[in-house]
Amino acid sequence: MSGKAKTVENQQMEVSKSTGAVMTAFFGVLSLAFLFPIFLVLVNSFKSKFYISDAPFQFPKVGTYVGLTNYFEGVRKTGFFPAFGRSLFITVSVYYGVFRGGNCAVHLHDRVVHYESKIEI
């Protein structure tokens, strides 16, 4: 090394327009493939449970559509709100504990460092 600092230049890969279009199309199709199961579950959530396995890829019709009944029933059966309250309590408690414990550790470290720096050897 000669002592001179090396300069690093940002290098970008040049991609032709056709390659860029192919990559955009590929990743667009890939993103749709990942989102399709989520969409399918959302569509099927508005059907009665008897019609979900009968025709999973069809939109709800007049006879199969149940509206938000599945959501209300799910909230009621699973005890969603008490579980949410417990989760919120745990999250806030842990956050407060980590925050308070971190403050105590910083305060202790600050006092020890300042105390040790005043000791003359």
Side-chain angles (χ1 to χ4, degrees):
M1 293 226 136
S2 62
K4 293 183 181 179
K6 290 185 177 181
T7 59
V8 177
E9 296 178 17
N10 289 335
Q11 296 178 353
Q12 290 183 338
M13 187 172 78
E14 299 280 334
V15 178
S16 68
K17 287 186 179 184
S18 62
T19 304
V22 169
M23 289 175 62
T24 301
F26 172 73
F27 287 115
V29 169
L30 186 65
S31 65
L32 290 176
F34 278 105
L35 291 175
F36 180 72
I38 297 170
F39 177 73
L40 187 64
V41 168
L42 182 67
V43 166
N44 284 331
S45 69
F46 292 106
K47 294 181 189 177
S48 173
K49 65 181 174 181
F50 300 114
Y51 297 105
I52 292 174
S53 58
D54 262 358
F57 298 108
Q58 290 182 353
F59 285 104
K61 297 178 184 173
V62 175
T64 63
Y65 182 72
V66 292
L68 296 176
T69 306
N70 287 341
Y71 288 100
F72 293 133
E73 189 176 334
V75 167
R76 184 182 55 81
K77 283 184 178 179
T78 60
F80 176 79
F81 292 112
F84 181 76
R86 288 189 298 270
S87 177
L88 185 65
F89 173 75
I90 291 169
T91 301
V92 169
S93 300
V94 169
Y95 176 78
Y96 179 75
V98 168
F99 182 74
R100 185 68 180 150
N103 281 343
C104 290
V106 167
H107 179 69
L108 178 66
H109 178 266
D110 189 41
R111 289 183 58 90
V112 168
V113 167
H114 282 146
Y115 176 74
E116 289 176 352
S117 65
K118 292 179 183 178
I119 298 176
E120 294 181 19
I121 297 178

